[in-house]
Amino acid sequence: MSEMVNVAVDAMGGDNAPGEVVKGAVEAVSEDKRVKVFLVGQEPVVREELKKYNYDAERLEIIHATEVIDTGEPPVMAIRTKKDSSIVRCMQMVKEGQCDAMVSAGSTGAVLVGGQVIVGRIKGVERPPLAPIIPNANGVSLLLDCGANVDARPSQLLQFAKMGSIYMESVIGIKNPKVGLVNIGVEEEKGNALTKETYPLLQNCPEINFVGNVEARDIPLGVADVLVCEAFAGNIVLKMLEGVSEVLISKIKAGMMGSVRSKIGALLVKPALKRTLKGFNTDEYGGAPLLGLNGLVVKTHGSSKAIEIKHSILQCIAFKEQNISEKIKEQIVLCD
Amino acid sequence: MSEMVNVAVDAMGGDNAPGEVVKGAVEAVSEDKRVKVFLVGQEPVVREELKKYNYDAERLEIIHATEVIDTGEPPVMAIRTKKDSSIVRCMQMVKEGQCDAMVSAGSTGAVLVGGQVIVGRIKGVERPPLAPIIPNANGVSLLLDCGANVDARPSQLLQFAKMGSIYMESVIGIKNPKVGLVNIGVEEEKGNALTKETYPLLQNCPEINFVGNVEARDIPLGVADVLVCEAFAGNIVLKMLEGVSEVLISKIKAGMMGSVRSKIGALLVKPALKRTLKGFNTDEYGGAPLLGLNGLVVKTHGSSKAIEIKHSILQCIAFKEQNISEKIKEQIVLCD
């Protein structure tokens, strides 16, 4: 049992909680014997959902928490006052070492604040970045920071680059991941004060494989595995990716329904289209880790279904087995 | 002849110059009798291209300029030293009042620098924004600033909002255009120092129709007609839109070629797909105006074909006839 990966799951977080969260947790423990899940939330409703499934009760436990943090609540206040909320309880289990990791589809703000205040930063980490996996033409990239704290310093971006490289190599399995600095031009002298100061720091850091500035236009082509930027820029990259994909796909689908001819064509291309769009989807990579904390905190989409919850839980295995926190601790002090 | 709109066109600028530029100019003068074009560039090559067409020679004139500014050249140096380049000559014609406007598909940097240094800013305008038209689910939005100068001040963003509103209403024809501030959340208190300071300025300006913060995810839905941001953010919005669209469309097309079944389907949906993608294209709106100058400077894509050159020339008519420069002069001093 010593090798078991213990994951606290916020059973009350997200648009589809508790149903899809419970389902995802059951699927995770069924798929991988190395994981034990603690479903944290209001016991009666969680138990009711669990009744639908057969599962190994030794590896799926309910932890009762009376309160729920809503997505609309001011995060700092919510974390401070709702001590018996599912998010706060999950975080305390990580902090106290009862769990290695936690997964929540709930309030992003509360997860970010709680991660720093309750779980706590690894010594030396200036700011823990929220790092979603985004799809590109040939695979995926890690985009960091997409958190709530904007206006980062160059030294923080350097830390993002190091933590992101460790994550992509050890958890996602990309050897010697290429690190790019998100910028408005590829030349070294391009950009704002932040990118100009950050560029030489990245270039002179032997622990990372820096490939230079990356223009937003080239991000979907997958020119870098780790994309470094401050959170305002990161948020725009992430949200434009989501927004443009959705609008374009819905327009294409609607366009095909315009005539009998194209309707027949649409039926014929449907399987191929579905396969293509599945390739441009990151559900199977799990949620976005909040890196640099004393334990893993994973934030999944508020709209997560069971499949995303399952993969978010499973990604915690590699995180623990690869000793990511130890690797971050070792590297974070280098070339600072 | 007094009502004629005189447009200087950089015949040497862009990947497809002079061929497509000359073709676009011929098409523009053929389509609208109110416009006269001065094709500025190396006379022998421009004349050679012109030989291919029939056109009204009274409204299409060649102005010889010996030099060409390459896109790779440092812009400030190029503008300073290449006095007889097509871009500099175009700008001087606008400055001296010989032309009302100019169009170039050449070096963005040189157009931005030359616009400020040679054509000059309208008194009171702090920074002239580059304002491309971008497609959305229901039409188009104006995105400003996408220029080379990052880290704008709140007062500059307020000016962008006013100039953008005038342009969308008078040139594109959208009544009382909705102005949105590009941000990482919709709530007033969200964002970085710049957006937090800019929000109340926009809210308290009676000349614009401010609808609040706009998240990047909602930009492609068309929730605002005028999108205000500083140039680093604007560049990411624009380039992500281009990059995601290209990758997604090429993946969908490639996906359809995967089997015989979907190949047949692809043939059937092709016209509908083409129509849909045409609707998500802004060629017919012309290039991006550099607003707030003493005359109109239009920058079109480096890859512009004749159709974009034509529309870029034709958009100058509305700009002049609607007295945009006068309107900007009047409004720029209000609510500052």
Side-chain angles (χ1 to χ4, degrees):
Chain A
M1 283 295 282
S2 65
E3 285 161 5
M4 193 63 80
V5 180
N6 296 308
V7 182
V9 174
D10 170 12
M12 313 307 286
D15 309 337
N16 307 309
E20 291 289 321
V21 180
V22 170
K23 188 170 178 231
V26 170
E27 289 174 0
V29 296
S30 305
E31 188 161 320
D32 201 309
K33 292 209 182 311
R34 292 171 294 176
V35 74
K36 173 166 184 176
V37 168
F38 296 83
L39 275 169
V40 184
Q42 292 166 341
E43 193 180 357
V45 292
V46 177
R47 187 161 305 286
E48 195 59 33
E49 284 296 328
L50 263 180
K51 276 187 190 161
K52 300 177 184 168
Y53 309 99
N54 289 318
Y55 56 91
D56 179 356
E58 296 250 315
R59 291 190 296 113
L60 192 50
E61 208 173 286
I62 301 176
I63 303 290
H64 184 52
T66 56
E67 294 174 295
V68 175
I69 294 177
D70 291 324
T71 50
E73 290 182 67
V76 175
M77 182 62 82
I79 289 293
R80 196 176 294 161
T81 58
K82 291 190 164 173
K83 296 291 183 204
D84 200 35
S85 61
S86 52
I87 289 181
V88 170
R89 290 294 302 277
C90 284
M91 289 183 160
Q92 273 162 346
M93 291 172 82
V94 176
K95 180 199 166 82
E96 289 157 10
Q98 192 179 351
C99 284
D100 305 294
M102 69 159 282
V103 171
S104 176
S107 158
T108 306
V111 171
L112 292 171
V113 170
Q116 297 202 50
V117 173
I118 301 170
V119 179
R121 281 173 287 166
I122 289 172
K123 194 162 174 277
V125 170
E126 296 179 47
R127 181 184 284 186
L130 184 67
I133 293 271
I134 61 170
N136 63 49
N138 307 309
V140 293
S141 308
L142 192 74
L143 176 69
L144 67 182
D145 181 19
C146 289
N149 296 307
V150 294
D151 299 325
R153 286 194 296 272
S155 60
Q156 294 167 344
L157 263 61
L158 173 61
Q159 292 194 341
F160 297 170
K162 288 198 267 183
M163 291 190 275
S165 295
I166 293 168
Y167 191 85
M168 281 308 265
E169 177 138 359
S170 301
V171 179
I172 307 297
I174 294 175
K175 280 230 178 300
N176 199 24
K178 290 183 290 226
V179 175
L181 179 63
V182 177
N183 207 336
I184 61 170
V186 290
E187 302 85 355
E188 177 171 355
E189 69 277 9
K190 281 282 169 74
N192 54 21
L194 175 65
T195 61
K196 285 177 195 169
E197 279 179 54
T198 303
Y199 192 102
L201 296 185
L202 297 179
Q203 198 170 30
N204 296 326
C205 178
E207 283 80 27
I208 62 165
N209 176 17
F210 183 52
V211 295
N213 288 324
V214 171
E215 282 195 273
R217 193 190 177 112
D218 296 330
I219 290 175
L221 292 173
V223 294
D225 305 304
V226 177
L227 295 160
V228 173
C229 54
E230 65 82 44
F232 193 93
N235 186 283
I236 294 180
V237 170
L238 182 68
K239 299 293 176 65
M240 282 300 292
L241 180 67
E242 294 175 353
V244 175
S245 304
E246 273 172 32
V247 165
L248 208 54
I249 290 165
S250 80
K251 275 190 92 77
I252 287 171
K253 284 180 178 169
M256 286 180 186
M257 292 297 117
S259 73
V260 176
R261 173 192 165 136
S262 61
K263 272 183 192 168
I264 297 167
L267 272 176
L268 294 171
V269 299
K270 201 177 168 191
L273 195 59
K274 214 169 167 180
R275 215 159 37 237
T276 301
L277 298 180
K278 205 171 146 61
F280 209 67
N281 188 318
T282 54
D283 293 354
E284 61 185 287
Y285 291 94
L290 187 55
L291 294 172
L293 299 179
N294 296 310
L296 177 60
V297 173
V298 176
K299 171 70 183 77
T300 72
H301 256 280
S303 59
S304 287
K305 299 274 193 177
I307 184 173
E308 286 133 310
I309 301 292
K310 179 184 83 171
H311 286 292
S312 295
I313 294 168
L314 295 178
Q315 86 187 104
C316 300
I317 299 171
F319 194 90
K320 188 190 179 186
E321 294 191 342
Q322 294 288 327
N323 285 315
I324 304 300
S325 290
E326 284 308 310
K327 285 179 182 162
I328 289 177
K329 266 177 215 165
E330 281 165 24
Q331 287 228 359
I332 212 66
V333 290
L334 300 171
C335 73
D336 258 357
Chain B
M1 284 296 282
S2 66
E3 285 161 4
M4 193 63 80
V5 180
N6 296 308
V7 182
V9 174
D10 170 12
M12 313 309 286
D15 309 337
N16 307 309
E20 293 289 320
V21 180
V22 170
K23 187 170 178 232
V26 170
E27 289 174 1
V29 296
S30 305
E31 188 161 319
D32 201 309
K33 293 210 182 309
R34 293 171 292 177
V35 74
K36 174 164 184 175
V37 168
F38 296 84
L39 275 169
V40 185
Q42 292 165 341
E43 195 181 356
V45 292
V46 178
R47 185 160 307 285
E48 195 58 33
E49 284 296 328
L50 264 179
K51 275 186 189 160
K52 299 177 184 170
Y53 309 99
N54 288 319
Y55 56 90
D56 179 355
E58 295 251 314
R59 292 190 297 112
L60 192 50
E61 208 172 286
I62 302 175
I63 303 289
H64 184 54
T66 56
E67 293 173 296
V68 175
I69 294 176
D70 291 325
T71 51
E73 289 182 67
V76 175
M77 182 61 83
I79 289 293
R80 196 177 293 160
T81 57
K82 290 191 164 173
K83 296 290 182 205
D84 200 35
S85 62
S86 51
I87 289 181
V88 171
R89 290 293 302 277
C90 284
M91 289 186 160
Q92 273 163 344
M93 290 171 82
V94 176
K95 181 200 166 82
E96 289 158 10
Q98 192 179 350
C99 284
D100 305 294
M102 69 158 281
V103 171
S104 176
S107 158
T108 306
V111 171
L112 291 172
V113 170
Q116 297 203 50
V117 174
I118 301 170
V119 179
R121 281 173 288 165
I122 289 172
K123 196 163 174 276
V125 170
E126 295 178 48
R127 181 185 285 186
L130 184 67
I133 293 270
I134 61 171
N136 63 50
N138 308 306
V140 293
S141 308
L142 192 74
L143 177 69
L144 67 182
D145 181 16
C146 289
N149 295 306
V150 295
D151 299 326
R153 287 194 296 270
S155 59
Q156 293 168 344
L157 263 62
L158 172 62
Q159 292 194 341
F160 296 170
K162 290 198 267 182
M163 291 190 276
S165 296
I166 293 168
Y167 191 84
M168 281 308 265
E169 177 140 359
S170 301
V171 178
I172 307 297
I174 294 174
K175 280 230 177 300
N176 200 24
K178 290 183 290 225
V179 176
L181 179 63
V182 177
N183 207 336
I184 61 170
V186 291
E187 302 86 355
E188 178 172 354
E189 68 277 9
K190 282 282 170 72
N192 54 20
L194 175 65
T195 61
K196 285 177 194 170
E197 278 180 54
T198 303
Y199 193 101
L201 296 186
L202 297 179
Q203 199 170 30
N204 296 325
C205 178
E207 282 82 26
I208 61 165
N209 175 18
F210 183 53
V211 296
N213 288 325
V214 171
E215 282 194 273
R217 194 190 176 112
D218 296 330
I219 289 175
L221 292 173
V223 295
D225 306 304
V226 177
L227 296 159
V228 174
C229 54
E230 63 83 44
F232 194 92
N235 186 284
I236 294 180
V237 169
L238 181 68
K239 299 293 176 65
M240 281 300 292
L241 180 68
E242 294 175 352
V244 175
S245 304
E246 271 172 33
V247 165
L248 208 53
I249 290 166
S250 81
K251 274 190 93 76
I252 287 171
K253 284 181 178 170
M256 287 180 186
M257 291 298 118
S259 73
V260 176
R261 173 193 165 134
S262 62
K263 271 185 192 168
I264 297 167
L267 272 175
L268 295 171
V269 299
K270 201 178 169 190
L273 195 60
K274 214 169 168 180
R275 214 158 37 236
T276 301
L277 297 180
K278 207 172 144 61
F280 209 68
N281 188 318
T282 54
D283 293 355
E284 61 185 288
Y285 292 92
L290 187 56
L291 294 172
L293 299 179
N294 296 310
L296 177 61
V297 173
V298 176
K299 171 69 184 79
T300 72
H301 256 281
S303 59
S304 288
K305 299 275 193 176
I307 184 172
E308 286 132 310
I309 301 291
K310 179 184 83 170
H311 286 291
S312 295
I313 294 168
L314 295 178
Q315 87 187 102
C316 301
I317 299 172
F319 194 90
K320 187 191 179 185
E321 293 190 344
Q322 295 286 328
N323 285 314
I324 304 300
S325 291
E326 284 308 310
K327 286 179 181 162
I328 289 177
K329 267 177 215 165
E330 281 164 24
Q331 288 228 359
I332 212 68
V333 290
L334 299 170
C335 73
D336 258 357

